[in-house]
Amino acid sequence: MRKQYAVAGVVVAVLVASLIVVAGSRSSKGSDPAQKASAKSATTGYASATSGVRAPTDYSAMVKLLAARYARNPSDSKIALALANAYLMTDRPKKAGRLYTKVLKSEPDNETAKVQLAMALHADGNDDQAFELLNAVLRTDPRSQLAHYDLAGLYFSEQKSTLARDEWKRAAALDPASGVGKMAQDFVNLMDETTGRPHPSGTGGELK
């Protein structure tokens, strides 16, 4: 359960890394047979919803490409974040965490780095710290869609389904048309179908 969510919860961040790779190398088309089908389809769905670009699933190749770019541009926070995201998707949360922390030293208000650091902590088994960090982000910015989305994942990993649904619902309501919003609503709909709770056919809406 924990590992499955660690993959699903960072889909949005992986898209960022994927798009950087796609922008620089159209030849990255491999597939990773170890990648779970659900995570692959979610990544592809998010990519098509936001950019029309199919995200590559060969994450080991992605790491090599981004590591080379980072070596040439170690002060570029976008490349550092993309590499950290790729590390997270290849089950190297400690390496990811170090890069997120490095970005935060130079950009302490970088919300994306904070949220993704929480997911690295979660993937490394440090859920208390992950919860603390996500809640700190939400105290500063209650409308952080990604923080709500990932907080839902932490709740789900602890089998707190009602709290998870509420957070995914909040994430969807903040921006129903965004990729994150659509994915959050998909989770809400899936949970509602599992429990027999009726749900609207559209996405988003107010939390109920």
Side-chain angles (χ1 to χ4, degrees):
M1 176 82 72
R2 179 182 304 278
K3 178 58 67 178
Q4 288 174 347
Y5 184 71
V7 173
V10 295
V11 164
V12 174
V14 169
L15 176 65
V16 177
S18 301
L19 292 179
I20 290 177
V21 173
V22 170
S25 176
R26 292 286 178 177
S27 63
S28 180
K29 297 181 180 179
S31 60
D32 182 355
Q35 187 64 26
K36 297 184 183 299
S38 59
K40 182 191 292 184
S41 62
T43 305
T44 302
Y46 182 77
S48 62
T50 56
S51 67
V53 177
R54 182 182 178 87
T57 54
D58 188 351
Y59 299 115
S60 59
M62 185 190 303
V63 169
K64 291 180 181 179
L65 283 168
L66 291 170
R69 293 184 185 186
Y70 179 69
R72 294 193 298 269
N73 303 280
S75 62
D76 189 318
S77 63
K78 290 183 179 180
I79 295 177
L81 284 175
L83 177 58
N85 297 335
Y87 280 143
L88 197 50
M89 283 302 289
T90 51
D91 199 22
R92 285 177 273 186
K94 291 186 186 299
K95 280 193 170 185
R98 286 195 288 270
L99 274 178
Y100 293 132
T101 300
K102 180 179 179 181
V103 171
L104 287 169
K105 285 182 179 179
S106 59
E107 301 178 16
D109 295 326
N110 190 312
E111 189 174 285
T112 299
K114 290 179 184 178
V115 172
Q116 291 305 95
L117 175 57
M119 297 315 297
L121 290 167
H122 166 60
D124 202 31
N126 299 311
D127 280 3
D128 288 345
Q129 294 179 56
F131 272 113
E132 182 178 346
L133 187 52
L134 287 176
N135 282 314
V137 169
L138 289 170
R139 283 194 295 271
T140 302
D141 180 12
R143 295 185 59 80
S144 173
Q145 189 179 43
L146 187 54
H148 281 294
Y149 179 92
D150 283 348
L151 182 58
L154 294 188
Y155 282 135
F156 189 77
S157 74
E158 296 196 344
Q159 300 183 26
K160 297 178 180 177
S161 298
T162 299
L163 292 174
R165 179 189 181 278
D166 288 349
E167 288 300 326
W168 272 318
K169 190 70 176 178
R170 290 187 177 96
L174 284 167
D175 187 355
S178 72
V180 181
K182 290 177 180 178
M183 287 178 61
Q185 187 62 45
D186 284 345
F187 276 115
V188 172
N189 293 347
L190 181 61
M191 295 177 77
D192 288 351
E193 289 169 1
T194 301
T195 60
R197 184 200 302 260
H199 62 78
S201 58
T203 59
E206 295 299 321
L207 175 65
K208 296 181 180 179

